[in-house]
Amino acid sequence: MERRDFLKLASMAGLGVVAAGALSRDAAAAGPYEGPLWINIHASGGWDPTSLCDPKGAMSAEEQKTRDAMNRSYLSEEIGTAGNIKFAPVGGNAEFFKKHYSRLLIVNGIDTSTNSHDAGVRNTWSGTLREGKPGFAALVAGVHGGALPMGFISNGGYDTTANVVAVTRVPDTGLLQRLAYPNRTDPSNSENREQYHTDATMTRILEARQARHMAKLEQQRLPHVKQAMSTLFTSRVGQNELKQLIQFLPAEFERASLRRQAQVALAAYQAGICVSANLSIGGFDTHGNHDDNHIPRLTDICDGVDFLLTAAEEQGIADRIVIVVGSDFGRTPGYNEGNGKDHWNITSMMMVGAGIPGNRVIGATDERHNPLEVDPVTLEPREGGVRIKPGHIHKALRKLAKVADDPLARRFPLSEEEDLPIFG
């Protein structure tokens, strides 16, 4: 299959393999990745932390009937507790937090400084409002596995790379099998071994393709052009890395979107070809009928995180996975005329995994979901302290991922924020 045919097939199926313009690692020297798997889960549209991990219930049944109620779905006296973590008593929150509180870190009162979707997503996942900066998932993949064939997988959210790594978008799991086994007439059927060509013919095709590729490389003198050509070549169908990935994919995929995305990310990681992955789920921009529409989506988020943690345990990699959950921003205190909630710049993030201290809550908000400043050393609420921003989170994440001092990361500094001991 020629490059134009591969790109056409990928475009039609929704799979994009984007070659980085300036990869930082030699693809030929890349071995299986054995570091942590970094997973970002994006709640697209702006989630409501007061219905999740920063609960603010109505003070009375009478207040529940008004538009000024923080939440109509529960009272303040009904707020649940799991260890040191408080949660809203709605949806699947109780089951989730009581099961995982000992591993969860909650950061409340994060000021995204915007009510714009694009700016909020960018700030949450890159640590800055400035355009063109790589997200954390792209940056960590660029440092630790820039030449891996699926080093950074994205299912949505913020996947700007600033050319530090290639991004592979894989929303169609069935397409992976077609790409990995291009000579099979029905690669999704393991019992059907019928092929388009004999093995001997396929060998000649592959040898001719390799020879043509090497001849084209010999005609080039610029290293970055040769690198780009090699990246495209390794992105073609039937490569060993894709076949390795298929070996780790489950026989049946889960129906829930986040679960399916997680299955692909975990399989790519077990194959040694993935460093980081963006998972994404929409439906959180609830300007109308907030409670009815929003709370089920929060339950989907909790289910996705639970599935990831459970699957990681079963696969023996629970100590090598880090999950960060966030959104564009938060939702307003009180309701609009359509029983919805509008954009609010204050939000929360949840984290769990290797190096993340569990059963811990950092930051706080007042009864109207306004952020409280924290002491920069103790992180306890203190007037005149620091207002937590996404940049603080990303400074800490970069240190945890051991990328803060890498030359690649230093090209995109977060110097405007203080260092906060978010992970102890």
Side-chain angles (χ1 to χ4, degrees):
M1 179 180 288
E2 294 297 330
R3 181 178 68 183
R4 63 179 178 272
D5 298 322
F6 167 74
L7 293 177
K8 180 179 179 181
L9 172 62
S11 175
M12 291 173 62
L15 182 148
V17 180
V18 183
L23 297 178
S24 61
R25 302 293 186 266
D26 182 5
Y33 174 68
E34 298 179 349
L37 171 63
W38 303 85
I39 295 183
N40 291 340
I41 300 181
H42 177 57
S44 180
W47 70 357
D48 181 9
T50 70
S51 295
L52 184 67
C53 56
D54 191 10
K56 310 287 180 185
M59 300 304 296
S60 67
E62 290 71 23
E63 184 183 83
Q64 280 183 304
K65 302 174 184 178
T66 69
R67 286 175 51 187
D68 289 335
M70 282 297 302
N71 279 290
R72 292 171 174 167
S73 53
Y74 67 95
L75 298 173
S76 293
E77 61 188 37
E78 298 172 333
I79 289 175
T81 302
N84 296 320
I85 297 174
K86 294 181 178 180
F87 60 86
V90 297
N93 290 350
E95 180 181 1
F96 173 76
F97 284 103
K98 288 180 179 180
K99 181 177 180 179
H100 298 296
Y101 77 89
S102 63
R103 302 178 60 185
L104 285 171
L105 169 65
I106 307 296
V107 184
N108 291 326
I110 303 172
D111 187 358
T112 64
S113 304
T114 183
N115 286 333
S116 162
H117 286 294
D118 289 344
V121 172
R122 184 167 61 244
N123 201 5
T124 294
W125 296 114
S126 73
T128 179
L129 287 167
R130 299 176 184 175
E131 297 183 3
K133 305 301 181 182
F136 172 75
L139 190 61
V140 72
V143 172
H144 292 306
L148 292 173
M150 295 179 70
F152 172 35
I153 295 174
S154 178
N155 293 274
Y158 185 75
D159 54 18
T160 296
T161 67
N163 281 344
V164 302
V165 71
V167 56
T168 304
R169 299 182 178 92
V170 193
D172 185 346
T173 51
L175 177 62
L176 292 174
Q177 292 175 310
R178 295 171 60 197
L179 292 177
Y181 301 104
N183 196 34
R184 292 185 187 176
T185 59
D186 187 8
S188 62
N189 185 354
S190 60
E191 297 180 357
N192 182 1
R193 296 291 177 172
E194 184 180 351
Q195 300 184 146
Y196 292 108
H197 307 289
T198 65
D199 290 340
T201 299
M202 197 64 186
T203 297
R204 290 196 299 272
I205 291 174
L206 295 175
E207 289 175 349
R209 188 176 67 178
Q210 178 71 21
R212 182 177 183 276
H213 172 63
M214 297 305 298
K216 292 292 184 180
L217 278 182
E218 288 296 321
Q219 298 173 11
Q220 298 296 329
R221 294 293 180 265
L222 296 177
H224 74 277
V225 174
K226 298 178 102 175
Q227 176 67 73
M229 290 175 64
S230 295
T231 301
L232 278 173
F233 183 75
T234 57
S235 297
R236 288 181 176 181
V237 299
Q239 297 301 310
N240 289 332
E241 293 84 359
L242 276 176
K243 293 179 181 178
Q244 289 175 322
L245 170 64
I246 296 299
Q247 293 176 9
F248 290 99
L249 287 174
E252 294 184 7
F253 281 96
E254 297 283 341
R255 296 185 64 181
S257 174
L258 275 184
R259 290 189 172 207
R260 289 199 308 273
Q261 295 173 41
Q263 286 177 307
V264 174
L266 290 172
Y269 177 66
Q270 286 196 301
I273 59 176
C274 179
V275 176
S276 61
N278 276 3
L279 279 55
S280 179
I281 181 172
F284 290 91
D285 198 18
T286 47
H287 292 279
N289 296 320
H290 172 79
D291 292 355
D292 291 341
N293 296 324
H294 202 99
I295 293 173
R297 305 308 282 168
L298 291 175
T299 299
D300 291 340
I301 287 280
C302 293
D303 177 74
V305 175
D306 175 69
F307 176 83
L308 267 169
L309 294 175
T310 302
E313 290 279 0
E314 294 172 349
Q315 297 172 20
I317 58 173
D319 60 341
R320 290 186 286 143
I321 185 171
V322 182
I323 303 170
V324 182
V325 191
S327 189
D328 316 23
F329 34 65
R331 312 304 297 184
T332 50
Y335 295 75
N336 58 31
E337 293 181 354
N339 295 320
K341 290 190 175 185
D342 301 317
H343 300 177
W344 188 248
N345 59 300
I346 307 305
T347 189
S348 297
M349 296 181 76
M350 297 196 307
M351 305 172 204
V352 59
I356 306 293
N359 193 22
R360 187 182 185 198
V361 178
I362 295 174
T365 56
D366 64 17
E367 66 278 1
R368 297 302 293 177
H369 204 220
N370 296 299
L372 302 180
E373 297 171 334
V374 300
D375 186 286
V377 176
T378 67
L379 299 184
E380 294 295 325
R382 178 176 69 81
E383 187 175 351
V386 175
R387 179 175 289 201
I388 299 176
K389 296 184 178 180
H392 294 116
I393 309 296
H394 281 267
K395 272 201 166 184
L397 283 172
R398 288 186 181 190
K399 288 185 177 181
L400 182 65
K402 296 181 173 58
V403 303
D405 296 325
D406 189 274
L408 199 61
R410 288 203 296 267
R411 289 168 47 192
F412 308 98
L414 297 170
S415 56
E416 63 267 24
E417 311 296 359
E418 303 91 342
D419 286 314
L420 298 181
I422 291 173
F423 302 126

